Amino acid sequence: AQSVSQHNHHVILSEAASLELGCNYSYGGTVNLFWYVQYPGQHLQLLLKYFSGDPLVKGIKGFEAEFIKSKFSFNLRKPSVQWSDTAEYFCAALAGNAGNMLTFGGGTRLMVKP
Amino acid sequence: DVKVTQSSRYLVKRTGEKVFLECVQDMDHENMFWYRQDPGLGLRLIYFSYDVKMKEKGDIPEGYSVSREKKERFSLILESASTNQTSMYLCASGLGSGSTDTQYFGPGTRLTVL
């Protein structure tokens, strides 16, 4: 069965610091990858997704993620975080043979200090 | 905009009670999903449905059942609630195009079982 790992459960940064959140998945075949974000008190919402093509994916609010197939990774990055980026971030994978079943990582809670 | 609504934001029930969580989507999506979200564990799929009256078990179906009598509505049922079912429950819907599917989430229901 596929699995998704997010190695950092809690990250604390100061404003303007650069962010990189790790995500690794276990499936070796075709895989689609997602980052979701949940701001305090709000719905889970899609930040960005990778299906095919350019492995560097740009999402909303200045976030980007790079799919590195050889490392089974899909790390999320932002060059300069803001206080409003404080949220929980979830990586998810959809394996080619899993139908419509997304597998989520455990989440990373990001706190940005003003 | 896709809208996914859940019947309650907060629910408190007693052990042994039968609990119904309702989810409605307004975008004619084929797929609907129920997850539970627990700290450090991310989102775990309980059940999903790809058509009316069709359902598939997710990763943690034990203690739960589901019902999909109409395309827009997907219900999660706890036949006899237990304290270990205290959690945040998230409903999601998606188009059902397989590998290109994006899931849209509802606001969640925080269930406490006493």
Side-chain angles (χ1 to χ4, degrees):
Chain A
Q2 62 174 346
S3 65
V4 177
S5 300
Q6 292 179 244
H7 304 294
N8 299 313
H9 292 159
H10 291 88
V11 174
I12 302 173
L13 295 173
S14 298
E15 275 195 316
S18 64
L19 171 72
E20 182 160 2
L21 301 182
C23 173
N24 288 93
Y25 61 93
S26 65
Y27 185 67
T30 302
V31 65
N32 299 315
L33 298 157
F34 305 78
W35 275 97
Y36 282 86
V37 60
Q38 189 171 31
Y39 297 103
Q42 294 190 25
H43 298 203
L44 204 64
Q45 56 186 285
L46 184 68
L47 202 52
L48 49 79
K49 60 187 177 184
Y50 171 79
F51 291 146
S52 63
D54 189 344
L56 185 62
V57 180
K58 295 195 183 297
I60 60 172
K61 304 187 181 185
F63 285 91
E64 65 179 31
E66 186 174 11
F67 170 56
I68 303 179
K69 190 174 182 179
S70 60
K71 295 185 178 180
F72 297 89
S73 71
F74 190 56
N75 292 354
L76 181 71
R77 299 194 295 247
K78 186 171 183 178
S80 176
V81 294
Q82 300 172 314
W83 176 77
S84 58
D85 293 324
T86 294
E88 189 160 15
Y89 294 81
F90 295 92
C91 182
L94 182 66
N97 66 351
N100 294 295
M101 290 176 58
L102 270 179
T103 299
F104 282 84
T108 298
R109 195 178 290 273
L110 170 67
M111 177 186 292
V112 180
K113 298 183 293 184
Chain B
D1 277 353
V2 176
K3 192 169 182 183
V4 180
T5 57
Q6 295 181 227
S7 50
S8 306
R9 291 300 300 273
Y10 300 93
L11 210 52
V12 179
K13 295 291 182 181
R14 296 199 178 277
T15 301
E17 281 193 79
K18 191 168 186 175
V19 182
F20 292 88
L21 302 182
E22 303 284 339
C23 175
V24 178
Q25 51 96 2
D26 66 356
M27 282 302 292
D28 203 34
H29 284 168
E30 294 173 6
N31 293 342
M32 296 188 74
F33 307 81
W34 275 107
Y35 295 89
R36 61 178 283 176
Q37 181 182 9
D38 299 289
L41 297 177
L43 277 70
R44 292 178 292 167
L45 182 65
I46 304 171
Y47 268 97
F48 75 97
S49 168
Y50 52 90
D51 202 350
V52 174
K53 296 189 187 294
M54 305 304 288
K55 61 185 180 185
E56 290 285 340
K57 292 180 179 179
D59 298 319
I60 51 164
E62 296 79 19
Y64 303 94
S65 61
V66 290
S67 172
R68 190 151 181 216
E69 297 296 319
K70 294 185 178 181
K71 193 174 186 179
E72 67 272 17
R73 188 180 296 270
F74 191 37
S75 303
L76 180 69
I77 303 152
L78 287 66
E79 294 290 340
S80 177
S82 63
T83 54
N84 63 12
Q85 293 179 309
T86 291
S87 186
M88 171 70 87
Y89 290 87
L90 295 176
C91 175
S93 73
L95 280 166
S97 51
S99 62
T100 59
D101 196 21
T102 296
Q103 293 183 21
Y104 299 88
F105 285 82
T109 296
R110 187 168 292 282
L111 172 67
T112 301
V113 183
L114 302 176

